[in-house]
Amino acid sequence: MKRVSLALLALAAVAPLQAQSLLYRPPNLGGTWVPDAGVVQFNFVHRFYVAPGPSHAVVNFPNFTFAAGFGHHVAFGAQFATRSIVGLGNGAQSTNETQVYGRWRVRGAEGQPGFAVAVTPAYNLLAKSVDGEVGVDWTRGRLTLHGAARAMSRRLGQSGNGAAAFAGGFNARLNPYVGVSADVGSFVSPTVLAAWSAAINFVIPGSPHTFSLHASNATSASIQGASQGIASPKDVLYGFEFTIPLHLKRFGPWFHGSPKPVALGAPAGAAIAAQVDMASMKFAGETVTISAGQAVRWTNRDPLEHTVTFDGAEPGSPPLPPNGSYVHRFDKPGTYTYHCTPHPFMKGVVVVK
Ligand SMILES: [Cu+2]
């Protein structure tokens, strides 16, 4: 079915490359990253280690980020981690961490030279903590530097005290498709192991996707999770991130068709002297006046079929589909009344002088 295939095309990533590129963000910094308006960003981070000994079991640390751009440089989103270090501290009932957040990029734009600043208020459901981050980045040529200041009302595992953390990092772009990045983030006091990461980042050519291969010791991407590293049982996790922007307008045909214009009638040499829209089950402009030899164009703006059917002998239109138009030339002076066959209460008049 055509509408489904359009959506599949969107998922098959034929959209042009836009923002939200890992060439402009290291693995553990949200930075000033805001999806464009009408874009839902889905980022998938997967980290793991292989347990030593006879088992060689793979222990996984998946992370998901969903965020939607609402325009005006504002986004709302959520992050989910199923084996978060935030959940390993005292007082945690679970390792399933959810952080909901908003982000407003106050100035700057991704990939543009100069400074960008974003504020990120958040709530960490696992820590029951109101968190926040101010992120700053500075781009010049191939280099982007990042800094972040973080605050939490209830740091998990530390007797419920508030806490502050700082983070910094960089991206260096080797060419338009490949870059390297690294970052470090740490609580101020009491200190635990700082979080760090190092990555090689790729733009997948001809697609809106970016991809990174990285090493890190952070188990989640939340404000708290990106401020501390895991020390045991393994102090290095390897993994990747994959970014998927979904452009909602590509799914438009699922919700409201936008049929192609269809032109009917249109006798040769007809000068169109009046336009009549068929909208909201009415002929807009019930009476139009033209001269003999001129034409009227009717355009159907409704999502259902209408006709232009004359009450006299004048030939009328076939059913006009949504977005269809019909042109009819009037050669003789007179008053031509007409209606819509499926909706006889829709009436109009053409006066030809
Ligand atoms: Cu009608």
Side-chain angles (χ1 to χ4, degrees):
M1 192 179 157
K2 192 180 171 199
R3 289 178 178 188
V4 172
S5 65
L6 277 176
L8 289 175
L9 276 176
L11 289 172
V14 295
L17 177 67
Q18 293 191 6
Q20 295 100 52
S21 165
L22 286 171
L23 293 195
Y24 290 90
R25 178 174 67 78
N28 290 336
L29 278 168
T32 62
W33 232 42
V34 172
D36 294 334
V39 173
V40 172
Q41 187 75 30
F42 173 53
N43 297 345
F44 177 51
V45 177
H46 190 94
R47 292 174 184 161
F48 65 91
Y49 70 83
V50 180
S55 76
H56 296 293
V58 174
V59 180
N60 296 304
F61 297 80
N63 273 267
F64 307 90
T65 298
F66 281 102
F70 286 80
H72 307 285
H73 310 295
V74 170
F76 293 95
Q79 288 159 318
F80 308 94
T82 62
R83 195 188 294 270
S84 168
I85 196 171
V86 175
L88 301 177
N90 299 327
Q93 279 104 45
S94 166
T95 61
N96 293 330
E97 182 192 12
T98 300
Q99 171 178 284
V100 293
Y101 71 95
R103 180 170 293 145
W104 176 38
R105 192 172 56 219
V106 180
R107 62 166 285 175
E110 183 185 302
Q112 298 299 112
F115 279 101
V117 178
V119 291
T120 304
Y123 184 74
N124 191 309
L125 278 71
L126 180 59
K128 297 185 176 64
S129 174
V130 177
D131 298 347
E133 178 178 294
V134 176
V136 178
D137 60 50
W138 176 82
T139 295
R140 183 166 178 179
R142 295 172 173 227
L143 185 66
T144 301
L145 302 177
H146 306 265
R150 298 163 175 167
M152 307 97 190
S153 71
R154 185 177 179 277
R155 178 177 167 189
L156 205 72
Q158 300 290 335
S159 309
N161 292 330
F166 291 94
F170 74 93
N171 281 80
R173 289 165 290 280
L174 309 177
N175 65 41
Y177 296 103
V178 182
V180 293
S181 61
D183 58 57
V184 61
S186 178
F187 281 104
V188 175
S189 173
T191 53
V192 289
L193 197 61
W196 60 268
S197 76
I200 180 163
N201 310 304
F202 304 94
V203 170
I204 299 174
S207 89
H209 301 299
T210 60
F211 181 75
S212 77
L213 291 170
H214 57 245
S216 177
N217 67 350
T219 61
S220 76
S222 67
I223 290 171
Q224 296 209 25
S227 300
Q228 58 190 311
I230 187 169
S232 64
K234 202 81 175 175
D235 53 10
V236 181
L237 310 176
Y238 296 96
F240 65 86
E241 177 163 3
F242 188 55
T243 67
I244 306 169
L246 297 169
H247 293 253
L248 293 187
K249 63 183 176 220
R250 291 184 164 257
F251 294 86
W254 277 9
F255 305 111
H256 49 82
S258 48
K260 289 199 169 60
V262 176
L264 300 164
I272 293 162
Q275 307 260 8
V276 177
D277 278 357
M278 307 149 99
S280 305
M281 309 290 278
K282 275 187 225 161
F283 293 103
E286 283 182 16
T287 301
V288 295
T289 303
I290 61 170
S291 301
Q294 293 181 327
V296 177
R297 177 194 281 137
W298 286 266
T299 303
N300 184 1
R301 307 291 183 196
D302 277 341
L304 41 78
E305 286 187 347
H306 293 303
T307 69
V308 178
T309 304
F310 292 98
D311 300 320
E314 200 75 7
S317 78
L320 297 178
N323 228 2
S325 64
Y326 173 65
V327 174
H328 185 76
R329 188 179 67 205
F330 296 84
D331 291 323
K332 292 177 195 161
T335 297
Y336 299 82
T337 62
Y338 62 93
H339 64 274
C340 169
T341 302
H343 314 107
F345 53 85
M346 293 175 62
K347 292 181 178 175
V349 181
V350 178
V351 177
V352 181
K353 291 185 172 166

